[in-house]
Amino acid sequence: MQVLEMVGDRSGSISPEELVSFLKKNLQYQEVRLGVLQQAIVNRAAAARGIEVDQPEIQAEADRQRRERHLERAADTLAWLSNQQITAEEWEAGIRDRLLTQKLIENLFGNEVESYFVQNRLDFDQVVLYQIIVPYEQLATELFYQIEESEISFFEAAHLYDIDPNRRQYCGYEGKLYRWSLKPEIAAVVFAADPRQIIPPVQTEQGFHLLRVEEFITAQLTPETRQEILQRLFREWLNGELNYWLNPYNLGEQKNE
């Protein structure tokens, strides 16, 4: 009882000081702080370019989210908002921020996607990949030869020995991955392999990898790839803006604007 009385009150409310203290103690404060700064940068850049989000756009996205969450009645939506401890206005403000970010990204980089794709086409080659990661080289080598000799299948070995529980559950399946998302030492051997080939152990800081290529997918500028390029360009731009804002030599300039 004494512990409960120290935090907030019986209604469950939490003071801003308690919230900040919790975030700092759990090493989450910097992440949240950077998120707030990033949104401020987006708002500033959008305003400078005359980019706005109107109410019909917010309503359309709210309706989409309601359908996604099966909130068919207004009462269902209000109950969900209450459970999230936010108001309808706060929910709409969050939607507005996300839509504004999407519009800014398109405004900044929409015309650069094709040229970026052409210049970096190899990065967007994809592979459907399975892998096993184990902690010891001897185990990796033994598994490699057992798989080669058909004493055990790759998928059974992944299910039994992989260090990652999720990958064990999916028998080593990693999914469809871009070349750029792989570690360089992994990408080098994977994209030099033949489909269905078992690649001998490769060491990284994670452990010893056994890899199996299911298929290669040649890079194409699909809607998915376009969004990936937009996000990559936006992250690079946003990091540059963040570094500028956080540079103490620029604080005076920012305050004077």
Side-chain angles (χ1 to χ4, degrees):
M1 183 65 178
Q2 188 175 8
V3 174
L4 291 175
E5 290 174 352
M6 292 172 62
V7 181
D9 55 34
R10 288 175 182 265
S11 68
S13 62
I14 300 173
S15 71
E17 292 79 11
E18 289 169 333
L19 181 58
V20 169
S21 175
F22 176 86
L23 292 173
K24 288 184 175 181
K25 287 187 292 186
N26 287 274
L27 305 180
Q28 296 174 331
Y29 176 76
Q30 179 68 350
E31 179 182 352
V32 173
R33 175 174 175 266
L34 289 178
V36 173
L37 285 174
Q38 288 171 356
Q39 189 61 54
I41 291 169
V42 167
N43 293 345
R44 182 187 180 104
R49 291 163 176 78
I51 301 171
E52 297 179 348
V53 176
D54 58 34
Q55 190 58 38
E57 291 174 305
I58 295 173
Q59 186 61 53
E61 175 59 16
D63 291 342
R64 187 195 67 78
Q65 291 189 22
R66 288 179 60 189
R67 290 192 299 271
E68 188 177 80
R69 293 183 170 90
H70 306 291
L71 303 173
E72 298 177 1
R73 301 177 303 165
D76 296 331
T77 303
L78 292 174
W80 174 76
L81 291 171
S82 176
N83 186 57
Q84 300 298 315
Q85 296 192 24
I86 60 174
T87 65
E89 291 75 18
E90 289 166 338
W91 181 39
E92 290 188 357
I95 292 173
R96 177 260 181 199
D97 286 349
R98 288 185 287 277
L99 292 177
L100 189 69
T101 300
Q102 293 171 10
K103 282 191 168 186
L104 178 64
I105 292 172
E106 191 65 44
N107 180 274
L108 288 172
F109 305 113
N111 293 330
E112 298 182 22
V113 171
E114 289 190 18
S115 62
Y116 186 93
F117 175 75
V118 170
Q119 294 168 16
N120 300 274
R121 180 183 292 269
L122 285 180
D123 275 356
F124 295 96
D125 284 340
Q126 293 177 287
V127 59
V128 178
L129 186 67
Y130 287 80
Q131 78 166 325
I132 305 168
I133 304 178
V134 295
Y136 308 114
E137 183 176 15
Q138 182 179 354
L139 175 58
T141 302
E142 289 177 0
L143 288 175
F144 173 73
Y145 286 117
Q146 287 178 16
I147 294 167
E148 285 284 281
E149 297 296 325
S150 299
E151 296 176 13
I152 188 173
S153 73
F154 184 97
F155 312 108
E156 184 181 1
H159 183 67
L160 293 174
Y161 295 103
D162 198 290
I163 61 175
D164 181 78
N166 290 327
R167 202 162 41 241
R168 285 203 302 270
Q169 182 179 356
Y170 292 101
C171 296
Y173 181 66
E174 283 285 14
K176 186 169 65 174
L177 306 174
Y178 288 111
R179 183 195 297 261
W180 63 261
S181 69
L182 298 172
K183 295 178 183 296
E185 60 269 38
I186 298 294
V189 295
V190 162
F191 282 91
D194 295 322
R196 315 296 196 286
Q197 176 185 350
I198 308 302
I199 300 171
V202 179
Q203 183 178 7
T204 72
E205 70 277 5
Q206 291 178 284
F208 293 86
H209 302 242
L210 291 173
L211 302 147
R212 182 184 188 274
V213 172
E214 185 68 22
E215 67 173 308
F216 295 110
I217 303 169
T218 303
Q220 295 181 350
L221 188 53
T222 61
E224 177 188 10
T225 303
R226 186 177 190 277
Q227 285 303 312
E228 183 58 50
I229 292 172
L230 285 173
Q231 289 299 322
R232 180 185 285 198
L233 292 171
F234 177 64
R235 286 193 297 268
E236 292 174 357
W237 173 82
L238 190 57
N239 286 337
E241 292 293 305
L242 264 176
N243 289 335
Y244 177 82
W245 276 46
L246 295 174
N247 189 329
Y249 292 105
N250 296 321
L251 290 177
E253 179 182 337
Q254 295 167 18
K255 290 178 180 178
N256 291 331
E257 289 184 0

